[in-house]
Amino acid sequence: MYINTFWKKAVEVGGRVVIFQREQESKNQPHRRGEYNVYSTFQSHEPEFDYLKSLEIEEKINKIRWLPQQNAAYFLLSTNDKTVKLWKVSERDKRPEGYNLKDEDGRLRDPSMITMLRVPVLRPMDLMVEATPRRVFANAHTYHINSISVNSDYETYMSADDLRINLWNFEITNQSFNIVDIKPANMEELTEVITAAEFHPHHCNTFVYSSSKGTIRLCDMRASALCDRHSKFFEEPEDPSNRSFFSEIISSISDVKFSHSGRYIMTRDYLTVKVWDLNMENRPIETYQVHDYLRSKLCSLYENDCIFDKFECVWNGSDSVIMTGSYNNFFRMFDRNTKRDVTLEASRENSKPRAILKPRKVCVGGKRRKDEISVDSLDFSKKILHTAWHPSENIIAVAATNNLYIFQDKVN
C-alpha cells in the first residue's frame, strides 16, 4: 500500500466534522487515482453544561456514521457524549434572483413601489457546500454514548451508553425506545458495562453488543420490546495459566463489528482481534495477536492509563482482511485466507505522498536487526485508535493523533 495524501488537523476533539472528497481522475493519467481534498468542514457540537448535574459536556465527537445516499445530498449522524445529530450536506451552485418583496441586497422593498409581478430566476454561482442540522436527538442518555449504528431498514438507528441502548426513529426526536437496560437496582452491584453495539447488516431485528467482561450478546427485537434476554451469548473460557491482575481489563471489548456478509462478528480487546461465527458461541474461530509483545509491559501501561485505550477494528469489503491499530502509529492487517499479517506505520517522518509503505517489525529482547524497532522504544503517546476501510476498494483511512492518512493499494 502507498500513501495518497494526509491532512494535519484533529477533526474530533474540537467538535468539527471534516468531509473529504476524492477528485476526479486525470485524463492524462487515467490509472492514477485522484487526490483527496477537503469537501466540507462544519461545527457539529458545541461545549455544554448540565446545570442539574454540574457537569461539563465536551464537544468532542465520539462516533460518525453515514446514511445510505438516497439523492444528491449526503446525510450523516454524529454524536458527542450526550447528543446525537442528523446532518444534511448538500451542494448549491445557483441562487434565485428577482424577488418581489426584497431587493438584490435582501432588504424589504416598499410595498407601494411594487408595481409589477416578477418571476424569480436562478443564476449560476460558485459552488457552495452547506451543512444543515436536520434532527437533534437529545436528553435520552444518562451516561456517555459510545456507539451509534444505523439499521438496515434505514428508518431507525440505535445509540448505546455504558448501561443502556436506545432505539430511535429518524423522524422522531423527542422519544426513543429503551431496548437494553443492564443498570442494576443497586449500583454497588454493577459488574460490567456496555462497550459497543451494532446492528446486523441485513436483518433489521438483530443487533449485537459487547461488554467490559469480554462477552458478546446477540439480541432479537422480535422476542420482546426490552431485550433483557439475549438470543446468543459469545464468551471464550479463560485460560487459568494466563490469569493475572490485568486479565479483566485487557479482556474488555473495545469494538464489535459484523462482517459485510452478516455471518461473522469481529471483536477487539486490548491485545487481540477475534472472529466469531454466529453459529458457535463457546469460542472464536480465529484469534489474531495485535501486539502480544506488550504483555510484559502491562504494569507500566496500567500506570500511564494506556491499558484503557479503546482500539477500533474494521473489515475490508470482502471480509477477507481485517485491520486494527496499535502504538507508535503502527496499524496491523491480517489476511484471513493466507494467515499472513503485516505491521505498517503511519507517520510523517516515514511517509511521503505516493511512497510505498515498508513493513515494520518489533524486536522483543535479543539482538535487534537494522530494520527492527525495540519494544522499549515504542512511543505510547502515538496511537491509532480509529480506522476505516472503503466498502469496495482497497483504500483505508487511518487516524494517527492529529493526522489523517489515506492509503491505497499500488496501481501499476
Side-chain angles (χ1 to χ4, degrees):
M1 286 200 151
Y2 73 90
I3 302 172
N4 186 300
T5 185
F6 63 86
W7 185 69
K8 181 180 169 236
K9 198 65 183 174
V11 296
E12 291 186 348
V13 176
R16 294 186 306 281
V17 173
V18 182
I19 302 174
F20 294 84
Q21 181 184 48
R22 186 166 63 177
E23 299 299 320
Q24 295 296 321
E25 293 179 356
S26 171
K27 293 182 179 179
N28 300 328
Q29 296 174 302
H31 298 293
R32 182 170 176 173
R33 290 174 178 157
E35 299 288 338
Y36 281 85
N37 293 316
V38 177
Y39 176 69
S40 176
T41 303
F42 61 91
Q43 190 72 27
S44 174
H45 287 72
E46 302 283 353
E48 301 174 52
F49 190 81
D50 187 335
Y51 292 96
L52 290 176
K53 299 178 181 177
S54 297
L55 188 69
E56 288 187 13
I57 302 173
E58 291 183 324
E59 66 269 39
K60 180 175 72 74
I61 297 173
N62 294 337
K63 295 288 180 180
I64 297 174
R65 291 289 178 265
W66 287 102
L67 275 66
Q69 190 174 2
Q70 306 288 344
N71 50 39
Y74 303 96
F75 289 86
L76 61 88
L77 287 172
S78 64
T79 182
N80 65 352
D81 287 339
K82 300 291 183 182
T83 304
V84 183
K85 293 185 179 181
L86 174 66
W87 289 89
K88 177 184 178 181
V89 182
S90 55
E91 296 180 354
R92 188 151 62 95
D93 59 359
K94 294 180 176 65
R95 66 167 176 264
E97 291 183 0
Y99 287 106
N100 290 283
L101 301 180
K102 296 180 180 179
D103 59 23
E104 301 306 329
D105 296 326
R107 293 190 296 266
L108 287 173
R109 298 172 63 192
D110 184 355
S112 63
M113 301 297 290
I114 302 175
T115 58
M116 58 181 290
L117 181 66
R118 295 194 297 175
V119 178
V121 295
L122 292 175
R123 303 287 187 198
M125 59 175 281
D126 293 336
L127 179 67
M128 185 169 68
V129 181
E130 296 178 318
T132 52
R134 299 303 300 270
R135 305 277 191 278
V136 177
F137 307 90
N139 305 319
H141 285 278
T142 305
Y143 307 97
H144 292 176
I145 299 173
N146 56 47
S147 302
I148 48 176
S149 179
V150 179
N151 202 346
S152 59
D153 61 11
Y154 304 142
E155 295 180 0
T156 57
Y157 77 92
M158 68 177 174
S159 56
D161 65 25
D162 291 344
L163 298 179
R164 294 190 176 99
I165 300 177
N166 293 331
L167 179 69
W168 300 83
N169 187 295
F170 280 111
E171 301 300 322
I172 303 171
T173 60
N174 61 351
Q175 183 180 352
S176 64
F177 295 95
N178 182 218
I179 54 176
V180 172
D181 188 349
I182 66 168
K183 182 180 180 181
N186 182 1
M187 284 295 281
E188 292 182 359
E189 299 173 0
L190 181 67
T191 58
E192 64 180 333
V193 296
I194 298 167
T195 55
E198 188 177 64
F199 269 119
H200 191 281
H202 310 304
H203 305 311
C204 60
N205 55 283
T206 306
F207 67 95
V208 68
Y209 70 92
S210 58
S211 84
S212 57
K213 276 193 167 182
T215 61
I216 309 107
R217 291 172 174 84
L218 184 76
C219 299
D220 190 337
M221 292 189 290
R222 296 173 300 185
S224 64
L226 182 65
C227 299
D228 50 357
R229 293 185 180 179
H230 46 265
S231 302
K232 292 189 175 184
F233 183 78
F234 301 87
E235 183 178 26
E236 184 176 24
E238 186 184 16
D239 184 355
S241 62
N242 288 334
R243 179 74 184 171
S244 72
F245 171 78
F246 306 105
S247 295
E248 286 191 14
I249 302 174
I250 64 174
S251 66
S252 176
I253 294 173
S254 57
D255 196 17
V256 59
K257 293 278 174 59
F258 273 106
S259 62
H260 294 87
S261 66
R263 171 70 186 272
Y264 304 102
I265 302 172
M266 173 170 56
T267 59
R268 170 70 204 263
D269 56 41
Y270 190 67
L271 294 177
T272 66
V273 173
K274 297 174 182 176
V275 177
W276 303 76
D277 190 319
L278 286 187
N279 297 324
M280 191 166 76
E281 302 171 52
N282 60 336
R283 61 184 176 85
I285 58 171
E286 300 163 24
T287 299
Y288 301 97
Q289 299 294 336
V290 178
H291 38 217
D292 199 51
Y293 47 78
L294 295 183
R295 198 175 290 275
S296 61
K297 301 283 184 183
L298 292 179
C299 187
S300 58
L301 290 165
Y302 177 80
E303 291 174 353
N304 62 17
D305 284 344
C306 284
I307 201 170
F308 301 107
D309 287 334
K310 300 185 183 303
F311 293 94
E312 295 178 0
C313 53
V314 66
W315 303 86
N316 73 335
S318 61
D319 298 334
S320 61
V321 181
I322 56 183
M323 176 175 64
T324 190
S326 181
Y327 294 104
N328 209 71
N329 281 354
F330 289 167
F331 60 99
R332 302 268 284 141
M333 288 183 173
F334 303 93
D335 190 311
R336 299 180 60 212
N337 297 324
T338 65
K339 303 305 177 185
R340 291 166 58 188
D341 63 87
V342 65
T343 301
L344 300 172
E345 183 179 4
S347 69
R348 300 186 66 182
E349 294 77 17
N350 301 327
S351 307
K352 296 179 181 179
R354 303 207 169 271
I356 297 176
L357 287 181
K358 295 180 180 179
R360 303 302 305 270
K361 289 186 178 180
V362 178
C363 169
V364 184
K367 193 173 181 180
R368 182 170 63 89
R369 295 181 182 176
K370 182 180 178 182
D371 58 343
E372 291 182 337
I373 181 171
S374 169
V375 66
D376 297 318
S377 303
L378 296 175
D379 188 343
F380 294 106
S381 65
K382 296 179 179 179
K383 59 193 79 172
I384 293 178
L385 303 179
H386 309 289
T387 55
W389 203 308
H390 192 284
S392 59
E393 299 184 44
N394 274 336
I395 301 175
I396 60 173
V398 175
T401 317
N402 64 338
N403 292 279
L404 177 66
Y405 295 84
I406 299 176
F407 301 96
Q408 64 187 41
D409 60 344
K410 189 175 185 296
V411 179
N412 294 321

